[in-house]
Amino acid sequence: MKISVDREACYGSGDCAYRVPSVFTVVDGLGAVLPGREDSGDDPQVREAAERCPSRAIDIDVGIGE
Ligand code: SF4
C-alpha cells in the first residue's frame, strides 16, 4: 500500500517523523516519505501516524486492484 504526504495540506508538525522515523522524515519543513519506503502502508505504525496527522495529510492508497 502506497503512502504519500499531501504537501499542500501538511503544515510541518513533524508528528509523523517523530512517530515513525523509519518511514517519515521532514523535508523543507514539511512531512515526507523516505525514499524507498512508499510501500509501507500496511505497517500499523504508519496507519496510526496517518490517523493522528493533525492535518490529515498522509494518504494511504489501499491499491484496489493491485
Ligand atoms: S504529521 Fe501530518 S502535518 Fe505533521 S509533518 Fe507529518 S504529514 Fe505534516
Side-chain angles (χ1 to χ4, degrees):
M1 291 185 225
K2 294 249 182 233
I3 44 176
S4 58
V5 173
D6 179 351
R7 294 174 68 85
E8 297 285 321
C10 170
Y11 71 96
S13 70
D15 291 38
C16 54
Y18 175 78
R19 279 181 211 285
V20 198
S22 60
V23 173
F24 296 102
T25 187
V26 175
V27 176
D28 297 332
L30 296 173
V33 181
L34 283 168
R37 302 308 307 270
E38 295 88 351
D39 284 330
S40 307
D42 51 0
D43 181 335
Q45 284 187 302
V46 169
R47 289 174 164 270
E48 185 176 349
E51 284 167 13
R52 292 177 181 247
C53 167
S55 60
R56 310 289 289 175
I58 299 171
D59 181 60
I60 299 178
D61 181 354
V62 296
I64 295 169
E66 279 183 23

